[in-house]
Amino acid sequence: MNAPHPTAPLRQQLYADMHPHNLTPLWEVLHALVPPRPQTPCVPALWKYDTIRPYLLRAGEAITAEEAVRRVLILENPALRGQSAITQSLYAGLQLILPGEVAPSHRHTQSALRFIVEGSGAYTAVDGERTTMHPGDFIITPSWAWHDHGSDADEPVVWLDGLDIPMIRFFDAGFAENDAQRSQQVTRKEGESFARYGHNMAPVNAAPPYGATSPIFSYPYARSSEALERLERDAPPDAVDGVKLRYVNPLTGGWPMPTIAAFLQKLPAGFEGRPWRQTDGAVFSVVEGEGSVVIGDGDAQQRLDFGPRDHFVVPSWHTARLSSRRGCVVFSFSDRPVHQALGIHREERLS
Ligand code: 1HN
C-alpha cells in the first residue's frame, strides 16, 4: 500500500475550509471537465411502436388535446429520466390528435419539427397557413411562430415532435405565449409557402420571413421519398449511409432550423453499412421497412432491431452500423447545426 500523500490532510482541510465560500479545486475535476473524448450520460434506446401505441391511445381517453394543450408522450432517454430529454440537447415525443380535436394556438422560442408517424388528415397551422399531415411528411414550426394543430381526420393521427427544449433551457432563453384565439384564423391558402419556396425557386427581393429557419412549412414525403428511390435506382449507395439526403432551407442551402438538422435515408435491400460515429447524437423515426442498428460504446455493443414507426436514439460519439435485409426508409434529426456553428462537429467513418 502507498503511504498517504503527506499533503493529503493539508488539501482536505483546504477543501473543507473554502467550501462555505463556494470555492472548489479544479484539479480534482479537471479530467472529467475536459475528457479525452465525449462522455455522454445518454444511452442507446429503442421505442417499439407496438409497445407504445396502446399508451398513446389510453392518453387519448385520459385527457383531451385541449386540456393537455399538447397531448404528448415524451421519449425520455433511460439515463435522463425526469429531464424531458432524449439527448442532452434534444427533446422528442409522440403527439396524438383525435378526430375533431384542437391543440390551441401558442408560440415559444423553442423550434419544433414534426415527423408524421401514423394517420392522415390532421393539420398544423403556422402563421395563418394550414398544412395537412401525411405519414412521412417533415413539418417545421419556426421559433416564436404561432402554431396550433387540429384534426379533420377520421382516424387518430400521431407524429414525432422534435424540439430544442434542453438546449434552450441550458441557455435560460425560453419564452412562451398563449394566443388569444384557440385556432388561428386561416389567412393564406394551403400550399402557399410551398409554392413560394418549395420548387427550387424563391421570391425576388423578399427578406427571409423566419430568419435562419426554413420558410417551407412542410416537406412532403411523396417528394422526398421519390428522390431517394431514384437515387437508389440510379446511383451507387454510400457505404455508411446508403442513400441519405438532408432537408435544406431553400433560402440559404443550410439546415432547416438553426438548432436542428434533419435527414431522410433509404437503406437498399441487403445493405450492410460500415460503422461511423459523430458528435451529434441523433434520433431516428422508421418510416417503412425493417432493419437493425448495432450501437457501440467502447467494447460494449448492442443491437436494436427496428420496424415501421419505431424510434431509436444513437448517443454522441457512439459507433453505429445500419443494416437492412429487405430495405427501409428512416428519418433522423440531430443538433448538428449547433456543433457546426461552434466549430466542434466531428464525424468519423470506421472500417
Ligand atoms: C409544443 O409546443 C408542441 O406545438 C409539442 O405541438 C411538444 C413540447 C414541449 C414544449 C412545447 C407543439 C412540445 C411543445
Side-chain angles (χ1 to χ4, degrees), residues 281-342:
V283 180
F284 290 76
S285 179
V286 183
V287 191
E288 304 178 56
E290 275 127 43
S292 64
V293 58
V294 177
I295 304 176
D297 182 21
D299 292 335
Q301 288 216 330
Q302 64 176 293
R303 176 180 149 160
L304 308 175
D305 295 314
F306 56 78
R309 300 168 177 166
D310 291 346
H311 293 82
F312 60 92
V313 56
V314 179
S316 167
W317 215 239
H318 283 50
T319 63
R321 186 156 47 86
L322 288 163
S323 56
S324 179
R325 204 170 312 160
R326 280 182 286 169
C328 62
V329 179
V330 297
F331 168 84
S332 57
F333 70 94
S334 81
D335 58 357
R336 189 177 305 183
V338 183
H339 292 233
Q340 291 187 334
L342 301 181

Short mmCIF file of all heavy atoms in Angstrom, two decimals, residues 281-342:
data_model
loop_
_atom_site.label_atom_id
_atom_site.label_comp_id
_atom_site.label_asym_id
_atom_site.label_seq_id
_atom_site.Cartn_x
_atom_site.Cartn_y
_atom_site.Cartn_z
N GLY A 281 -25.52 13.46 -31.28
CA GLY A 281 -26.44 12.35 -31.02
C GLY A 281 -27.68 12.53 -31.87
O GLY A 281 -28.11 13.66 -32.10
N ALA A 282 -28.25 11.42 -32.38
CA ALA A 282 -29.34 11.54 -33.34
C ALA A 282 -30.53 10.67 -32.96
O ALA A 282 -30.38 9.59 -32.38
CB ALA A 282 -28.85 11.17 -34.74
N VAL A 283 -31.72 11.18 -33.28
CA VAL A 283 -32.99 10.49 -33.02
C VAL A 283 -33.54 10.00 -34.34
O VAL A 283 -33.59 10.77 -35.32
CB VAL A 283 -33.99 11.45 -32.36
CG1 VAL A 283 -35.31 10.75 -32.08
CG2 VAL A 283 -33.40 12.05 -31.09
N PHE A 284 -33.97 8.75 -34.40
CA PHE A 284 -34.44 8.13 -35.64
C PHE A 284 -35.91 7.75 -35.55
O PHE A 284 -36.37 7.29 -34.50
CB PHE A 284 -33.62 6.87 -35.96
CG PHE A 284 -32.20 7.14 -36.38
CD1 PHE A 284 -31.24 7.49 -35.45
CD2 PHE A 284 -31.83 7.06 -37.71
CE1 PHE A 284 -29.92 7.76 -35.83
CE2 PHE A 284 -30.52 7.31 -38.11
CZ PHE A 284 -29.57 7.66 -37.17
N SER A 285 -36.63 7.95 -36.66
CA SER A 285 -38.02 7.50 -36.78
C SER A 285 -38.09 6.65 -38.04
O SER A 285 -37.73 7.09 -39.13
CB SER A 285 -38.94 8.72 -36.90
OG SER A 285 -40.30 8.31 -37.05
N VAL A 286 -38.54 5.41 -37.89
CA VAL A 286 -38.57 4.49 -39.02
C VAL A 286 -39.87 4.67 -39.79
O VAL A 286 -40.95 4.63 -39.21
CB VAL A 286 -38.44 3.02 -38.54
CG1 VAL A 286 -38.38 2.07 -39.73
CG2 VAL A 286 -37.21 2.87 -37.65
N VAL A 287 -39.76 4.88 -41.10
CA VAL A 287 -40.96 5.10 -41.91
C VAL A 287 -41.46 3.77 -42.48
O VAL A 287 -42.60 3.38 -42.25
CB VAL A 287 -40.67 6.07 -43.08
CG1 VAL A 287 -41.98 6.49 -43.75
CG2 VAL A 287 -39.90 7.28 -42.61
N GLU A 288 -40.60 3.12 -43.23
CA GLU A 288 -41.02 1.89 -43.92
C GLU A 288 -39.91 0.86 -43.80
O GLU A 288 -38.74 1.22 -43.74
CB GLU A 288 -41.17 2.14 -45.43
CG GLU A 288 -42.12 3.24 -45.83
CD GLU A 288 -42.13 3.40 -47.36
OE1 GLU A 288 -42.39 2.39 -48.06
OE2 GLU A 288 -41.85 4.50 -47.85
N GLY A 289 -40.28 -0.41 -43.83
CA GLY A 289 -39.31 -1.49 -43.90
C GLY A 289 -38.72 -1.83 -42.54
O GLY A 289 -39.14 -1.30 -41.51
N GLU A 290 -37.75 -2.71 -42.56
CA GLU A 290 -37.14 -3.17 -41.33
C GLU A 290 -35.62 -3.11 -41.43
O GLU A 290 -35.08 -3.11 -42.54
CB GLU A 290 -37.54 -4.63 -41.06
CG GLU A 290 -38.85 -4.75 -40.33
CD GLU A 290 -39.82 -5.68 -41.06
OE1 GLU A 290 -39.36 -6.75 -41.50
OE2 GLU A 290 -41.00 -5.31 -41.17
N GLY A 291 -35.00 -3.06 -40.30
CA GLY A 291 -33.54 -3.06 -40.30
C GLY A 291 -33.02 -3.19 -38.90
O GLY A 291 -33.78 -3.44 -37.95
N SER A 292 -31.71 -3.05 -38.76
CA SER A 292 -31.14 -3.06 -37.42
C SER A 292 -29.97 -2.09 -37.35
O SER A 292 -29.39 -1.71 -38.37
CB SER A 292 -30.71 -4.47 -37.02
OG SER A 292 -29.67 -4.90 -37.86
N VAL A 293 -29.70 -1.68 -36.12
CA VAL A 293 -28.56 -0.81 -35.88
C VAL A 293 -27.76 -1.42 -34.74
O VAL A 293 -28.33 -1.84 -33.73
CB VAL A 293 -29.00 0.64 -35.56
CG1 VAL A 293 -29.92 0.73 -34.36
CG2 VAL A 293 -27.79 1.55 -35.37
N VAL A 294 -26.46 -1.56 -34.96
CA VAL A 294 -25.57 -2.02 -33.88
C VAL A 294 -24.86 -0.79 -33.35
O VAL A 294 -24.19 -0.08 -34.10
CB VAL A 294 -24.57 -3.07 -34.38
CG1 VAL A 294 -23.61 -3.47 -33.27
CG2 VAL A 294 -25.31 -4.28 -34.93
N ILE A 295 -25.07 -0.51 -32.06
CA ILE A 295 -24.52 0.70 -31.45
C ILE A 295 -23.46 0.29 -30.44
O ILE A 295 -23.69 -0.58 -29.59
CB ILE A 295 -25.64 1.51 -30.75
CG1 ILE A 295 -26.76 1.83 -31.75
CG2 ILE A 295 -25.06 2.80 -30.16
CD1 ILE A 295 -27.95 2.55 -31.14
N GLY A 296 -22.29 0.89 -30.56
CA GLY A 296 -21.19 0.52 -29.70
C GLY A 296 -20.66 1.71 -28.92
O GLY A 296 -20.65 2.84 -29.41
N ASP A 297 -20.24 1.43 -27.68
CA ASP A 297 -19.62 2.44 -26.83
C ASP A 297 -18.40 1.76 -26.22
O ASP A 297 -18.55 0.97 -25.29
CB ASP A 297 -20.62 2.89 -25.76
CG ASP A 297 -20.04 3.98 -24.87
OD1 ASP A 297 -19.09 4.65 -25.30
OD2 ASP A 297 -20.55 4.15 -23.75
N GLY A 298 -17.21 2.03 -26.74
CA GLY A 298 -16.03 1.27 -26.32
C GLY A 298 -16.23 -0.19 -26.70
O GLY A 298 -16.57 -0.50 -27.84
N ASP A 299 -16.10 -1.10 -25.71
CA ASP A 299 -16.23 -2.52 -26.01
C ASP A 299 -17.68 -2.99 -25.98
O ASP A 299 -18.01 -4.05 -26.49
CB ASP A 299 -15.42 -3.35 -24.99
CG ASP A 299 -13.92 -3.12 -25.18
OD1 ASP A 299 -13.53 -2.76 -26.32
OD2 ASP A 299 -13.18 -3.28 -24.20
N ALA A 300 -18.55 -2.20 -25.36
CA ALA A 300 -19.95 -2.61 -25.23
C ALA A 300 -20.69 -2.38 -26.54
O ALA A 300 -20.56 -1.32 -27.15
CB ALA A 300 -20.62 -1.83 -24.10
N GLN A 301 -21.45 -3.38 -26.96
CA GLN A 301 -22.22 -3.24 -28.20
C GLN A 301 -23.64 -3.73 -27.96
O GLN A 301 -23.86 -4.66 -27.20
CB GLN A 301 -21.61 -4.14 -29.29
CG GLN A 301 -20.30 -3.64 -29.83
CD GLN A 301 -20.17 -3.93 -31.32
OE1 GLN A 301 -20.72 -4.90 -31.80
NE2 GLN A 301 -19.46 -3.07 -32.02
N GLN A 302 -24.58 -3.07 -28.59
CA GLN A 302 -25.93 -3.63 -28.57
C GLN A 302 -26.60 -3.44 -29.91
O GLN A 302 -26.32 -2.49 -30.63
CB GLN A 302 -26.77 -3.05 -27.44
CG GLN A 302 -27.04 -1.59 -27.51
CD GLN A 302 -27.96 -1.15 -26.37
OE1 GLN A 302 -29.13 -1.52 -26.30
NE2 GLN A 302 -27.41 -0.39 -25.45
N ARG A 303 -27.48 -4.40 -30.19
CA ARG A 303 -28.18 -4.37 -31.48
C ARG A 303 -29.65 -4.08 -31.24
O ARG A 303 -30.29 -4.70 -30.39
CB ARG A 303 -28.00 -5.73 -32.14
CG ARG A 303 -28.77 -5.84 -33.44
CD ARG A 303 -28.56 -7.21 -34.03
NE ARG A 303 -29.77 -7.58 -34.77
CZ ARG A 303 -29.78 -8.50 -35.70
NH1 ARG A 303 -28.68 -9.17 -35.98
NH2 ARG A 303 -30.90 -8.78 -36.34
N LEU A 304 -30.17 -3.12 -32.00
CA LEU A 304 -31.59 -2.79 -31.92
C LEU A 304 -32.22 -3.14 -33.26
O LEU A 304 -31.75 -2.70 -34.30
CB LEU A 304 -31.78 -1.29 -31.62
CG LEU A 304 -31.03 -0.71 -30.42
CD1 LEU A 304 -31.24 0.82 -30.34
CD2 LEU A 304 -31.48 -1.36 -29.12
N ASP A 305 -33.27 -3.95 -33.22
CA ASP A 305 -33.99 -4.32 -34.45
C ASP A 305 -35.22 -3.45 -34.57
O ASP A 305 -36.03 -3.39 -33.64
CB ASP A 305 -34.40 -5.79 -34.40
CG ASP A 305 -33.19 -6.71 -34.41
OD1 ASP A 305 -32.27 -6.48 -35.22
OD2 ASP A 305 -33.14 -7.63 -33.57
N PHE A 306 -35.36 -2.78 -35.72
CA PHE A 306 -36.46 -1.83 -35.84
C PHE A 306 -37.36 -2.12 -37.04
O PHE A 306 -36.94 -2.73 -38.01
CB PHE A 306 -35.92 -0.39 -35.90
CG PHE A 306 -34.91 -0.14 -36.99
CD1 PHE A 306 -35.32 0.05 -38.31
CD2 PHE A 306 -33.55 -0.06 -36.71
CE1 PHE A 306 -34.40 0.29 -39.32
CE2 PHE A 306 -32.62 0.18 -37.72
CZ PHE A 306 -33.04 0.36 -39.03
N GLY A 307 -38.60 -1.68 -36.91
CA GLY A 307 -39.60 -1.79 -37.98
C GLY A 307 -40.35 -0.48 -38.10
O GLY A 307 -40.02 0.50 -37.43
N PRO A 308 -41.39 -0.45 -38.93
CA PRO A 308 -42.12 0.79 -39.18
C PRO A 308 -42.62 1.45 -37.89
O PRO A 308 -43.14 0.77 -37.01
CB PRO A 308 -43.30 0.34 -40.03
CG PRO A 308 -42.82 -0.92 -40.70
CD PRO A 308 -41.90 -1.57 -39.72
N ARG A 309 -42.44 2.78 -37.79
CA ARG A 309 -42.93 3.61 -36.69
C ARG A 309 -42.17 3.43 -35.39
O ARG A 309 -42.55 3.98 -34.36
CB ARG A 309 -44.43 3.38 -36.47
CG ARG A 309 -45.24 3.72 -37.71
CD ARG A 309 -46.68 3.23 -37.61
NE ARG A 309 -47.43 3.65 -38.79
CZ ARG A 309 -48.61 3.18 -39.13
NH1 ARG A 309 -49.20 2.28 -38.37
NH2 ARG A 309 -49.23 3.61 -40.19
N ASP A 310 -41.11 2.62 -35.41
CA ASP A 310 -40.26 2.52 -34.22
C ASP A 310 -39.35 3.75 -34.16
O ASP A 310 -39.09 4.39 -35.19
CB ASP A 310 -39.39 1.25 -34.27
CG ASP A 310 -40.22 -0.02 -34.12
OD1 ASP A 310 -41.40 0.08 -33.73
OD2 ASP A 310 -39.68 -1.11 -34.41
N HIS A 311 -38.88 4.05 -32.96
CA HIS A 311 -37.98 5.18 -32.75
C HIS A 311 -36.76 4.73 -31.97
O HIS A 311 -36.87 3.87 -31.10
CB HIS A 311 -38.72 6.31 -32.02
CG HIS A 311 -39.81 6.91 -32.86
ND1 HIS A 311 -41.05 6.33 -32.96
CD2 HIS A 311 -39.81 7.98 -33.69
CE1 HIS A 311 -41.79 7.04 -33.82
NE2 HIS A 311 -41.05 8.05 -34.27
N PHE A 312 -35.60 5.29 -32.31
CA PHE A 312 -34.41 4.96 -31.52
C PHE A 312 -33.46 6.15 -31.48
O PHE A 312 -33.59 7.09 -32.27
CB PHE A 312 -33.71 3.69 -32.01
CG PHE A 312 -33.23 3.70 -33.44
CD1 PHE A 312 -31.92 4.11 -33.74
CD2 PHE A 312 -34.04 3.29 -34.47
CE1 PHE A 312 -31.45 4.11 -35.05
CE2 PHE A 312 -33.58 3.29 -35.80
CZ PHE A 312 -32.29 3.70 -36.08
N VAL A 313 -32.54 6.09 -30.52
CA VAL A 313 -31.59 7.19 -30.34
C VAL A 313 -30.17 6.63 -30.32
O VAL A 313 -29.90 5.61 -29.68
CB VAL A 313 -31.91 8.01 -29.07
CG1 VAL A 313 -31.95 7.15 -27.82
CG2 VAL A 313 -30.90 9.15 -28.89
N VAL A 314 -29.30 7.28 -31.07
CA VAL A 314 -27.87 6.95 -31.09
C VAL A 314 -27.14 8.11 -30.40
O VAL A 314 -27.10 9.22 -30.94
CB VAL A 314 -27.34 6.78 -32.53
CG1 VAL A 314 -25.85 6.47 -32.52
CG2 VAL A 314 -28.11 5.69 -33.27
N PRO A 315 -26.59 7.88 -29.20
CA PRO A 315 -25.94 8.98 -28.47
C PRO A 315 -24.63 9.44 -29.14
O PRO A 315 -24.05 8.72 -29.95
CB PRO A 315 -25.65 8.38 -27.09
CG PRO A 315 -26.50 7.16 -26.98
CD PRO A 315 -26.64 6.64 -28.39
N SER A 316 -24.20 10.61 -28.73
CA SER A 316 -22.96 11.21 -29.21
C SER A 316 -21.79 10.24 -29.14
O SER A 316 -21.59 9.56 -28.13
CB SER A 316 -22.64 12.44 -28.36
OG SER A 316 -21.32 12.86 -28.60
N TRP A 317 -21.02 10.22 -30.20
CA TRP A 317 -19.74 9.51 -30.30
C TRP A 317 -19.85 8.01 -30.02
O TRP A 317 -18.88 7.36 -29.68
CB TRP A 317 -18.68 10.16 -29.40
CG TRP A 317 -17.32 10.09 -30.00
CD1 TRP A 317 -16.20 9.49 -29.45
CD2 TRP A 317 -16.90 10.61 -31.27
NE1 TRP A 317 -15.13 9.60 -30.31
CE2 TRP A 317 -15.52 10.28 -31.44
CE3 TRP A 317 -17.54 11.29 -32.31
CZ2 TRP A 317 -14.79 10.65 -32.57
CZ3 TRP A 317 -16.83 11.65 -33.44
CH2 TRP A 317 -15.47 11.33 -33.55
N HIS A 318 -21.06 7.45 -30.13
CA HIS A 318 -21.23 6.01 -30.14
C HIS A 318 -21.08 5.55 -31.60
O HIS A 318 -21.55 6.23 -32.51
CB HIS A 318 -22.62 5.62 -29.64
CG HIS A 318 -22.78 5.70 -28.14
ND1 HIS A 318 -22.41 6.81 -27.41
CD2 HIS A 318 -23.27 4.80 -27.26
CE1 HIS A 318 -22.66 6.57 -26.13
NE2 HIS A 318 -23.20 5.37 -26.00
N THR A 319 -20.42 4.43 -31.82
CA THR A 319 -20.35 3.92 -33.19
C THR A 319 -21.70 3.31 -33.54
O THR A 319 -22.37 2.74 -32.68
CB THR A 319 -19.26 2.85 -33.36
OG1 THR A 319 -19.59 1.75 -32.53
CG2 THR A 319 -17.90 3.40 -32.98
N ALA A 320 -22.10 3.47 -34.78
CA ALA A 320 -23.37 2.89 -35.21
C ALA A 320 -23.18 2.27 -36.59
O ALA A 320 -22.40 2.77 -37.41
CB ALA A 320 -24.46 3.95 -35.24
N ARG A 321 -23.89 1.20 -36.79
CA ARG A 321 -23.79 0.46 -38.06
C ARG A 321 -25.20 0.03 -38.43
O ARG A 321 -25.86 -0.67 -37.68
CB ARG A 321 -22.88 -0.75 -37.83
CG ARG A 321 -22.52 -1.56 -39.01
CD ARG A 321 -21.19 -2.32 -38.77
NE ARG A 321 -21.10 -3.00 -37.48
CZ ARG A 321 -21.55 -4.24 -37.24
NH1 ARG A 321 -22.19 -4.91 -38.18
NH2 ARG A 321 -21.40 -4.79 -36.05
N LEU A 322 -25.67 0.50 -39.59
CA LEU A 322 -27.04 0.23 -40.02
C LEU A 322 -27.06 -0.91 -41.02
O LEU A 322 -26.18 -0.98 -41.90
CB LEU A 322 -27.65 1.47 -40.67
CG LEU A 322 -28.01 2.64 -39.74
CD1 LEU A 322 -28.20 3.92 -40.54
CD2 LEU A 322 -29.27 2.31 -38.94
N SER A 323 -28.04 -1.77 -40.91
CA SER A 323 -28.21 -2.77 -41.96
C SER A 323 -29.68 -3.08 -42.15
O SER A 323 -30.52 -2.81 -41.28
CB SER A 323 -27.41 -4.04 -41.64
OG SER A 323 -27.79 -4.54 -40.39
N SER A 324 -29.98 -3.61 -43.34
CA SER A 324 -31.37 -3.92 -43.64
C SER A 324 -31.43 -5.04 -44.67
O SER A 324 -30.80 -4.95 -45.72
CB SER A 324 -32.08 -2.68 -44.19
OG SER A 324 -33.42 -2.99 -44.51
N ARG A 325 -32.15 -6.08 -44.33
CA ARG A 325 -32.23 -7.21 -45.25
C ARG A 325 -33.15 -6.88 -46.42
O ARG A 325 -32.83 -7.13 -47.56
CB ARG A 325 -32.73 -8.46 -44.52
CG ARG A 325 -32.30 -9.73 -45.21
CD ARG A 325 -32.57 -10.97 -44.40
NE ARG A 325 -32.12 -10.86 -43.02
CZ ARG A 325 -32.56 -11.63 -42.03
NH1 ARG A 325 -33.48 -12.54 -42.25
NH2 ARG A 325 -32.11 -11.47 -40.81
N ARG A 326 -34.32 -6.29 -46.09
CA ARG A 326 -35.29 -6.07 -47.17
C ARG A 326 -35.44 -4.61 -47.57
O ARG A 326 -36.30 -4.27 -48.36
CB ARG A 326 -36.64 -6.64 -46.74
CG ARG A 326 -36.70 -8.17 -46.94
CD ARG A 326 -38.04 -8.74 -46.57
NE ARG A 326 -38.21 -8.78 -45.12
CZ ARG A 326 -39.36 -9.04 -44.51
NH1 ARG A 326 -40.45 -9.23 -45.22
NH2 ARG A 326 -39.43 -9.08 -43.19
N GLY A 327 -34.60 -3.75 -46.98
CA GLY A 327 -34.66 -2.33 -47.33
C GLY A 327 -35.54 -1.57 -46.36
O GLY A 327 -36.47 -2.13 -45.78
N CYS A 328 -35.23 -0.30 -46.14
CA CYS A 328 -36.06 0.53 -45.25
C CYS A 328 -35.79 2.01 -45.50
O CYS A 328 -34.80 2.39 -46.13
CB CYS A 328 -35.79 0.19 -43.78
SG CYS A 328 -34.12 0.50 -43.24
N VAL A 329 -36.71 2.82 -44.98
CA VAL A 329 -36.56 4.28 -45.03
C VAL A 329 -36.61 4.79 -43.59
O VAL A 329 -37.52 4.44 -42.83
CB VAL A 329 -37.69 4.94 -45.84
CG1 VAL A 329 -37.52 6.47 -45.85
CG2 VAL A 329 -37.71 4.41 -47.27
N VAL A 330 -35.62 5.59 -43.21
CA VAL A 330 -35.59 6.16 -41.86
C VAL A 330 -35.34 7.67 -41.90
O VAL A 330 -34.55 8.16 -42.71
CB VAL A 330 -34.54 5.49 -40.94
CG1 VAL A 330 -34.85 4.02 -40.73
CG2 VAL A 330 -33.14 5.64 -41.47
N PHE A 331 -36.05 8.36 -41.03
CA PHE A 331 -35.87 9.80 -40.81
C PHE A 331 -34.99 9.97 -39.59
O PHE A 331 -35.01 9.13 -38.68
CB PHE A 331 -37.25 10.42 -40.56
CG PHE A 331 -37.22 11.83 -40.04
CD1 PHE A 331 -37.11 12.90 -40.91
CD2 PHE A 331 -37.32 12.10 -38.67
CE1 PHE A 331 -37.09 14.21 -40.43
CE2 PHE A 331 -37.29 13.40 -38.19
CZ PHE A 331 -37.17 14.46 -39.07
N SER A 332 -34.21 11.04 -39.54
CA SER A 332 -33.47 11.31 -38.30
C SER A 332 -33.26 12.80 -38.11
O SER A 332 -33.36 13.57 -39.07
CB SER A 332 -32.11 10.58 -38.29
OG SER A 332 -31.34 10.95 -39.40
N PHE A 333 -33.03 13.20 -36.87
CA PHE A 333 -32.68 14.59 -36.60
C PHE A 333 -31.65 14.67 -35.49
O PHE A 333 -31.51 13.75 -34.68
CB PHE A 333 -33.93 15.44 -36.26
CG PHE A 333 -34.59 15.16 -34.94
CD1 PHE A 333 -34.26 15.91 -33.81
CD2 PHE A 333 -35.56 14.18 -34.79
CE1 PHE A 333 -34.87 15.68 -32.58
CE2 PHE A 333 -36.19 13.95 -33.57
CZ PHE A 333 -35.85 14.70 -32.46
N SER A 334 -30.88 15.76 -35.52
CA SER A 334 -29.82 15.94 -34.53
C SER A 334 -29.54 17.43 -34.34
O SER A 334 -30.12 18.27 -35.03
CB SER A 334 -28.53 15.25 -34.99
OG SER A 334 -27.83 16.06 -35.92
N ASP A 335 -28.62 17.74 -33.43
CA ASP A 335 -28.26 19.14 -33.15
C ASP A 335 -27.00 19.56 -33.93
O ASP A 335 -26.28 20.46 -33.51
CB ASP A 335 -28.03 19.32 -31.64
CG ASP A 335 -26.95 18.40 -31.08
OD1 ASP A 335 -26.41 17.57 -31.85
OD2 ASP A 335 -26.64 18.51 -29.88
N ARG A 336 -26.78 18.93 -35.08
CA ARG A 336 -25.56 19.21 -35.84
C ARG A 336 -25.34 20.68 -36.19
O ARG A 336 -24.18 21.15 -36.18
CB ARG A 336 -25.51 18.35 -37.12
CG ARG A 336 -24.14 18.46 -37.81
CD ARG A 336 -24.02 17.59 -39.03
NE ARG A 336 -24.32 16.19 -38.72
CZ ARG A 336 -24.23 15.21 -39.61
NH1 ARG A 336 -23.85 15.46 -40.84
NH2 ARG A 336 -24.53 13.97 -39.27
N PRO A 337 -26.41 21.46 -36.51
CA PRO A 337 -26.15 22.87 -36.85
C PRO A 337 -25.41 23.62 -35.74
O PRO A 337 -24.59 24.50 -36.02
CB PRO A 337 -27.55 23.45 -37.05
CG PRO A 337 -28.41 22.28 -37.39
CD PRO A 337 -27.83 21.11 -36.65
N VAL A 338 -25.69 23.26 -34.51
CA VAL A 338 -25.05 23.95 -33.39
C VAL A 338 -23.59 23.53 -33.29
O VAL A 338 -22.70 24.36 -33.10
CB VAL A 338 -25.82 23.69 -32.07
CG1 VAL A 338 -25.19 24.46 -30.92
CG2 VAL A 338 -27.28 24.06 -32.24
N HIS A 339 -23.34 22.23 -33.44
CA HIS A 339 -21.94 21.75 -33.44
C HIS A 339 -21.14 22.47 -34.52
O HIS A 339 -20.00 22.88 -34.29
CB HIS A 339 -21.89 20.25 -33.70
CG HIS A 339 -22.44 19.41 -32.60
ND1 HIS A 339 -21.76 18.38 -32.02
CD2 HIS A 339 -23.64 19.45 -31.97
CE1 HIS A 339 -22.50 17.82 -31.08
NE2 HIS A 339 -23.66 18.45 -31.04
N GLN A 340 -21.75 22.60 -35.69
CA GLN A 340 -21.02 23.23 -36.80
C GLN A 340 -20.81 24.72 -36.55
O GLN A 340 -19.76 25.26 -36.85
CB GLN A 340 -21.74 22.96 -38.12
CG GLN A 340 -21.63 21.49 -38.50
CD GLN A 340 -22.17 21.19 -39.88
OE1 GLN A 340 -23.02 21.90 -40.39
NE2 GLN A 340 -21.68 20.11 -40.47
N ALA A 341 -21.84 25.37 -36.00
CA ALA A 341 -21.71 26.81 -35.73
C ALA A 341 -20.59 27.05 -34.71
O ALA A 341 -19.91 28.08 -34.77
CB ALA A 341 -23.03 27.37 -35.21
N LEU A 342 -20.41 26.09 -33.80
CA LEU A 342 -19.37 26.26 -32.77
C LEU A 342 -18.02 25.72 -33.22
O LEU A 342 -17.03 25.83 -32.49
CB LEU A 342 -19.82 25.54 -31.48
CG LEU A 342 -21.15 26.01 -30.87
CD1 LEU A 342 -21.45 25.24 -29.59
CD2 LEU A 342 -21.12 27.50 -30.59
#
